[in-house]
Amino acid sequence: MELWAIWLIIAGILLVAEMLTLTFYLLWLGIGALVAAIVAWIIPEFFILHIFVGCITALILTFATKPLTSRIRMSKGFKDPIDELVGKEGVVVEEIDFGKHGIVKVGNETWSASSQVFLPKDETIIVVARGTTILEVQKREVIK
C-alpha cells in the first residue's frame, strides 16, 4: 500500500474520532496527517519529511487557534454543554470505587466519573462537578 494512502487513512480515523470527542485537538492532528498524505503523494521517498510536515502543521494549528477558541469560550452567552450536566441525575453503569473511575449514564450519554465514596452499579447519582472529561458525582439523597 502506498504511504500517502496510509496517511490518508490515519487522517480519516482522526477526523472521525474528533467528531466523537469535539475537542478540536484531534482535528488538528487529522489535518496534519492529511498534509502529510499530500506531501507523501508529491514526494514519496522522504518518510521523515512527511512526519515533520504533519507535526509542524498540527502544532501551528494548535497554537494559532488557541486564542480564538479561548475568546469564543469567554464570550458572552457561551455555554459549554458539559457545564449543564452539573446538578443532573444519572445512574452508575460501572461501579465507582474511591480513587478509581467508573462509568455513569446522565441523560442519553455515558461518562467517566469519580466519587468520594464507593458507588455500586445501578445507584442513582447527582453530578456535582465536572473536569475536562470526568464527572464528579455523589449518591443522590432520597428525601422523605
Side-chain angles (χ1 to χ4, degrees):
M1 181 179 277
E2 296 289 329
L3 199 52
W4 65 267
I6 294 171
W7 281 114
L8 201 57
I9 291 168
I10 292 170
I13 291 169
L14 288 168
L15 293 173
V16 168
E18 172 58 39
M19 286 187 252
L20 299 173
T21 62
L22 302 174
T23 60
F24 280 116
Y25 296 115
L26 294 176
L27 176 64
W28 307 146
L29 292 174
I31 292 172
L34 185 61
V35 171
I38 293 168
V39 171
W41 183 54
I42 296 170
I43 310 169
E45 305 85 39
F46 300 108
F47 179 68
I48 298 297
L49 179 65
H50 310 158
I51 294 172
F52 181 75
V53 170
C55 289
I56 293 299
T57 301
L59 284 171
I60 288 171
L61 287 171
T62 299
F63 289 115
T65 58
K66 190 71 170 168
L68 176 65
T69 56
S70 294
R71 204 170 345 152
I72 290 170
R73 288 183 173 274
M74 298 301 156
S75 66
K76 184 178 178 182
F78 175 80
K79 280 191 168 183
D80 192 342
I82 299 173
D83 289 332
E84 294 177 3
L85 292 174
V86 175
K88 292 200 175 184
E89 286 188 11
V91 65
V92 177
V93 176
E94 182 181 295
E95 71 179 31
I96 304 170
D97 204 355
F98 180 72
K100 297 184 179 177
H101 300 295
I103 298 176
V104 297
K105 185 171 185 175
V106 181
N108 294 329
E109 299 177 329
T110 55
W111 292 87
S112 292
S114 63
S115 177
Q116 297 297 321
V117 295
F118 174 78
L119 296 172
K121 184 177 178 181
D122 297 325
E123 181 75 47
T124 304
I125 53 93
I126 291 186
V127 178
V128 292
R130 74 151 193 124
T132 306
T133 59
I134 299 171
L135 301 178
E136 178 70 28
V137 300
Q138 68 183 22
K139 181 179 178 179
R140 185 188 74 161
E141 299 299 324
V142 179
I143 300 173
K144 294 182 181 180

